[in-house]
Amino acid sequence: MIALASCTLLTSCGTSDSSDTAATDKQYSSRIHVIASKNGRIAPAQAGDTSSWILTLENPEPTALWYTDRPSQDVGATPLKDYINAAFWRSAYGDVNPNATILFQLAGSDDLDGLYVSLTRPSYNEKSNTITFDAKILNDTLDNMGADSLAFTNVTLNVLNNAEDDEAVSSYIQYASQAVLQPTAVSDQYKVVLSGAGPDMIWVDNAPGQYSDSRPMSNFFPQWPYVFKDSPPNAALVGTTATGKMKLYFLTLTDPTYDEALKQVSYTAKLLGQTSGALEIINQAVLSIDSGAFSRFPVPGKGTGYQAFGQGYDPSTANNTYIYFGSDIARKQTGSLWGTQSYLSQSCEPSCRNDLETMKSLGINLVRLYDWDPRNDHSQFLDYADSLNIKVVVPISNWLPTQNASEWNKQVPNYFKPGNFGNKNGTDWHPAIAGVIISNELDMENGGTYYGNVIGLVARFLQEADKQGFSKNIPVGVPVTFVPRGAPFGPGGQNMPGWKQFNQLLTDSRTAQYKDRLMLCPNTYNSKDYLFNNAESTGQGWVQLTYKQFGVPILFTEIGLSRAQSGYTPNFVRDQLQGVLAYQKANPEQLLGAMHFQFDDKVWKQTPNDTDTEGAFGMYHHGAVVKQIQTVKDDFNFYIDEAKGVYGILTIDKLDSTRTYAPVVEAYK
């Protein structure tokens, strides 16, 4: 059924069945196995229970093909009865159940679909020629994956190798309507062309991670030098020939190019192993690329700070009403502002403001939030952002760091539940989340009294993330103040703005063990030249010096300039943002992006002529009131003593662009 273009079975280009079963754990840990089957099905282990499934492949090919994770370039074949063997499975994967992708066509459909699963308890029945696994579904590409069994055809099971040392890595999947290998003038080198590609691609975590995501192709290729910086990746290219047979090529890929307009991806490729017959065009092509480092942050990271309450909101009085309590803009009850429905007794139509869609249209792909009450349901905001390919940096508000450890132990677990930072199953982070920030500028407030508390809360939060079994690929940071000219400065630029706070965060005994899971989060209003070219007459930019000093990635959690400042010009803001994006593209491991400060003016601070510095940062100024919604008791799900039964009015107002709008759009579009 499958033409093995990677290597012929009789003269296999790797191990035979006897040597394969005698291999060491290290040999197995780097192998990705591919099993093909004409038919298969997946069904709940118990009727109506979607927590555990049984995957069955009927009449699979008698061998499991494999290729190694980079930098090795080995390929081979293992008899199925040896691969689907408990002893082999233990030596290959140890105590960590491997993740796998299942690519298939549903019965009666020509479309390609897929499941991302964790596999256990492999079993092979030679008499019936079937293999089964216990499977946990981690994600799917189906429109509605219910509790019913699925039957499918043309199945490819791609079992990923496990990550070493619990390092967060992902494998990447691209798809196209057609793929062709074209010989080049260089011996043993081909050009691989995927036509009708994308527009999105999928990536999935290697176990023990369980994260998966879909993102535009155009966002992935700028990250290629970072993802595969140490060696080019290997890949499996599979599809069907004109006669309906499946064909598989194992490749090593370099020189990716993507033409979004033509929907075409191409690579330079080395073919691994011996080809079986002539090179053929394949249809419904899937390219599975082996694992590499990755970031949940988009490249480029074009962000904005967001807390766009309308007229009538003031943080000093917010807790007097239910609707504004906690200043939590991402709760479902404020959907009239960020989305397309109110989630309140009274509709917002036809005046729903839909700020997230506005951000998407302006090129923004990253949002920073400031306040978050874990009693509220935020799943609607996160789901909508995810549908727009907007990533979110979620916060723990300033209140919690001011509390004691007993309150932390009570509150922190709530952040990992569905409706907060957890996905719908509560098994990992919500897919929209790129990072977590704890507090805002508590290094400055009250003389920095609570900054030590913030550091302790960072450690407690990461401890809880590990306890909950969440993936370790979400960086955590603490936004701090950035003095334009601190002192003293040593001959090498010591004591740069933010360095004292960063050093305290990274060297504290509570957080030192988590250094590789932290990010540095300055709030800055400095120029592009200061940040990237010449900080404090050192001849180097602040970013270069800071990354060299600490070796930890940087996210500008605020960047911009108030229109009330004498040095403000639109070009100043444009240059800041363009400088960030250019540097991130060249150094994605150093810089995660920037949050322009901010989407809108602070409504309680804005003035007609920008006379209040704090009220003049936004792309938008709050204009005429469009609609007011009186909230009622039934709109809320918990009682608030402080509000004393005052539910409050949610105001939808018109957003009018300011002088800061054009430079941000110019930089981001």
Side-chain angles (χ1 to χ4, degrees), residues 515-551:
K515 181 178 178 180
D516 61 347
R517 295 164 63 182
L518 301 177
M519 58 181 172
L520 307 181
C521 297
N523 293 343
T524 183
Y525 314 105
N526 293 65
S527 69
K528 173 186 175 181
D529 184 67
Y530 185 96
L531 296 174
F532 299 103
N533 299 320
N534 187 20
E536 306 302 334
S537 302
T538 60
Q540 297 182 68
W542 180 90
V543 171
Q544 294 96 314
L545 290 167
T546 301
Y547 187 79
K548 182 179 179 181
Q549 179 75 11
F550 298 106

Side-chain angles (χ1 to χ4, degrees), residues 224-296:
W224 185 276
Y226 167 60
V227 174
F228 304 116
K229 57 188 172 185
D230 50 351
S231 59
N234 300 327
L237 176 64
V238 64
T240 56
T241 67
T243 60
K245 291 184 178 181
M246 294 185 71
K247 193 151 189 173
L248 173 67
Y249 299 97
F250 287 150
L251 311 160
T252 299
L253 303 175
T254 55
D255 306 321
T257 60
Y258 176 51
D259 190 318
E260 188 170 5
L262 294 178
K263 299 180 180 179
Q264 187 176 89
V265 177
S266 64
Y267 299 93
T268 300
K270 173 185 176 183
L271 191 62
L272 302 179
Q274 304 170 10
T275 55
S276 178
L279 299 176
E280 296 182 73
I281 295 174
I282 57 174
N283 302 308
Q284 291 282 42
V286 176
L287 183 67
S288 298
I289 306 173
D290 74 12
S291 60
F294 84 108
S295 171
R296 293 193 185 218

Side-chain angles (χ1 to χ4, degrees), residues 13-166:
C13 43
T15 59
S16 66
D17 54 347
S18 59
S19 62
D20 210 24
T21 56
T24 67
D25 289 357
K26 179 61 178 177
Q27 286 175 292
Y28 288 147
S29 68
S30 66
R31 294 179 182 174
I32 301 104
H33 288 83
V34 182
I35 301 173
S37 178
K38 188 62 179 176
N39 298 292
R41 64 182 183 274
I42 192 166
Q46 295 183 359
D49 182 3
T50 59
S51 63
S52 180
W53 299 72
I54 303 296
L55 170 66
T56 303
L57 301 184
E58 302 167 352
N59 298 313
E61 283 295 304
T63 56
L65 300 180
W66 58 261
Y67 64 104
T68 53
D69 204 346
R70 60 197 182 92
S72 178
Q73 296 182 349
D74 295 330
V75 296
T78 302
L80 201 56
K81 62 182 178 63
D82 290 339
Y83 177 62
I84 307 298
N85 174 284
F88 180 102
W89 202 260
R90 282 193 300 272
S91 64
Y93 306 113
D95 296 328
V96 178
N97 299 326
N99 296 338
T101 58
I102 313 166
L103 302 168
F104 55 81
Q105 292 171 308
L106 291 173
S109 172
D110 292 331
D111 295 331
L112 189 71
D113 277 298
L115 297 172
Y116 173 45
V117 297
S118 174
L119 297 178
T120 57
R121 295 170 55 86
S123 178
Y124 179 45
N125 188 320
E126 288 190 77
K127 184 176 180 180
S128 63
N129 193 23
T130 59
I131 57 176
T132 61
F133 301 88
D134 285 0
K136 175 183 177 183
I137 296 179
L138 304 175
N139 207 345
D140 63 80
T141 64
L142 303 169
D143 291 333
N144 184 18
M145 182 68 192
D148 299 327
S149 61
L150 295 176
F152 31 70
T153 61
N154 296 329
V155 189
T156 304
L157 177 66
N158 198 53
V159 185
L160 306 178
N161 59 310
N162 289 344
E164 295 184 16
D165 300 323
D166 206 16

Side-chain angles (χ1 to χ4, degrees), residues 250-434:
F250 287 150
L251 311 160
T252 299
L253 303 175
T254 55
D255 306 321
T257 60
Y258 176 51
D259 190 318
E260 188 170 5
L262 294 178
K263 299 180 180 179
Q264 187 176 89
V265 177
S266 64
Y267 299 93
T268 300
K270 173 185 176 183
L271 191 62
L272 302 179
Q274 304 170 10
T275 55
S276 178
L279 299 176
E280 296 182 73
I281 295 174
I282 57 174
N283 302 308
Q284 291 282 42
V286 176
L287 183 67
S288 298
I289 306 173
D290 74 12
S291 60
F294 84 108
S295 171
R296 293 193 185 218
F297 283 86
V299 178
K302 300 179 287 186
T304 187
Y306 182 67
Q307 198 177 28
F309 291 116
Q311 296 177 32
Y313 169 77
D314 188 318
S316 66
T317 59
N319 289 353
N320 295 338
T321 62
Y322 272 55
I323 188 62
Y324 293 129
F325 189 88
S327 300
D328 186 351
I329 189 69
R331 65 190 300 185
K332 77 173 185 179
Q333 288 89 349
T334 56
S336 303
L337 303 179
W338 49 257
T340 60
Q341 59 180 303
S342 72
Y343 302 100
L344 299 168
S345 301
Q346 183 181 347
S347 171
C348 59
E349 295 180 353
S351 304
C352 313
R353 211 168 64 193
N354 204 359
D355 291 345
L356 284 173
E357 178 61 41
T358 298
M359 293 178 200
K360 175 73 173 180
S361 70
L362 301 179
I364 292 168
N365 57 19
L366 193 60
V367 173
R368 178 215 170 157
L369 302 173
Y370 285 84
D371 290 289
W372 189 283
D373 186 334
R375 295 175 296 182
N376 292 326
D377 186 356
H378 306 85
S379 58
Q380 299 81 6
F381 180 92
L382 293 174
D383 288 347
Y384 189 35
D386 191 45
S387 74
L388 297 173
N389 282 310
I390 294 174
K391 295 300 176 185
V392 183
V393 176
V394 291
I396 292 180
S397 310
N398 274 3
W399 173 78
L400 191 56
T402 66
Q403 306 304 300
N404 58 34
S406 176
E407 190 67 27
W408 297 355
N409 291 334
K410 176 182 175 182
Q411 296 290 341
V412 167
N414 295 328
Y415 287 90
F416 295 90
K417 295 179 179 179
N420 287 302
F421 300 170
N423 61 21
K424 61 184 178 181
N425 298 318
T427 57
D428 208 340
W429 307 97
H430 190 285
I433 293 175

Side-chain angles (χ1 to χ4, degrees), residues 345-658:
S345 301
Q346 183 181 347
S347 171
C348 59
E349 295 180 353
S351 304
C352 313
R353 211 168 64 193
N354 204 359
D355 291 345
L356 284 173
E357 178 61 41
T358 298
M359 293 178 200
K360 175 73 173 180
S361 70
L362 301 179
I364 292 168
N365 57 19
L366 193 60
V367 173
R368 178 215 170 157
L369 302 173
Y370 285 84
D371 290 289
W372 189 283
D373 186 334
R375 295 175 296 182
N376 292 326
D377 186 356
H378 306 85
S379 58
Q380 299 81 6
F381 180 92
L382 293 174
D383 288 347
Y384 189 35
D386 191 45
S387 74
L388 297 173
N389 282 310
I390 294 174
K391 295 300 176 185
V392 183
V393 176
V394 291
I396 292 180
S397 310
N398 274 3
W399 173 78
L400 191 56
T402 66
Q403 306 304 300
N404 58 34
S406 176
E407 190 67 27
W408 297 355
N409 291 334
K410 176 182 175 182
Q411 296 290 341
V412 167
N414 295 328
Y415 287 90
F416 295 90
K417 295 179 179 179
N420 287 302
F421 300 170
N423 61 21
K424 61 184 178 181
N425 298 318
T427 57
D428 208 340
W429 307 97
H430 190 285
I433 293 175
V436 177
I437 51 176
I438 297 179
S439 88
N440 185 58
E441 296 188 347
L442 279 182
D443 63 305
M444 176 181 69
E445 292 188 18
N446 298 306
T449 301
Y450 293 110
Y451 189 65
N453 273 16
V454 174
I455 294 172
L457 183 55
V458 168
R460 178 65 187 89
F461 181 84
L462 287 167
Q463 179 191 56
E464 186 66 28
D466 291 346
K467 179 181 177 181
Q468 298 279 349
F470 278 38
S471 302
K472 297 183 178 181
N473 49 33
I474 290 287
V476 177
V478 178
V480 299
T481 54
F482 188 103
V483 180
R485 285 190 176 273
F489 293 104
Q494 293 93 332
N495 299 323
M496 284 284 176
W499 280 22
K500 179 180 178 180
Q501 300 97 307
F502 297 155
N503 186 65
Q504 189 176 345
L505 172 67
L506 297 174
T507 61
D508 190 288
S509 60
R510 297 166 293 180
T511 50
Q513 62 179 310
Y514 299 116
K515 181 178 178 180
D516 61 347
R517 295 164 63 182
L518 301 177
M519 58 181 172
L520 307 181
C521 297
N523 293 343
T524 183
Y525 314 105
N526 293 65
S527 69
K528 173 186 175 181
D529 184 67
Y530 185 96
L531 296 174
F532 299 103
N533 299 320
N534 187 20
E536 306 302 334
S537 302
T538 60
Q540 297 182 68
W542 180 90
V543 171
Q544 294 96 314
L545 290 167
T546 301
Y547 187 79
K548 182 179 179 181
Q549 179 75 11
F550 298 106
V552 174
I554 299 161
L555 172 68
F556 286 116
T557 38
E558 288 179 9
I559 190 171
L561 193 65
S562 171
R563 298 184 300 277
Q565 293 283 2
S566 59
Y568 174 87
T569 66
N571 287 349
F572 185 97
V573 175
R574 179 202 63 194
D575 292 347
Q576 284 176 316
L577 298 176
Q578 287 182 341
V580 170
L581 300 182
Y583 193 89
Q584 184 196 20
K585 183 177 180 180
N587 306 277
E589 75 282 5
Q590 297 184 27
L591 192 55
L592 300 174
M595 303 295 189
H596 172 255
F597 186 69
Q598 58 185 340
F599 181 73
D600 62 301
D601 290 342
K602 294 179 178 179
V603 68
W604 70 99
K605 289 281 190 178
Q606 69 176 25
T607 60
N609 299 310
D610 291 339
T611 55
D612 189 311
T613 303
E614 286 189 57
F617 280 92
M619 299 171 64
Y620 292 100
H621 191 90
H622 293 267
V625 172
V626 176
K627 188 180 183 72
Q628 290 188 309
I629 298 176
Q630 174 64 59
T631 65
V632 298
K633 181 179 180 180
D634 289 345
D635 291 330
F636 305 96
N637 64 314
F638 56 89
Y639 183 76
I640 302 172
D641 288 333
E642 297 92 327
K644 297 180 176 60
V646 179
Y647 302 109
I649 296 173
L650 180 67
T651 299
I652 306 172
D653 50 18
K654 187 174 182 292
L655 296 181
D656 300 320
S657 58
T658 69

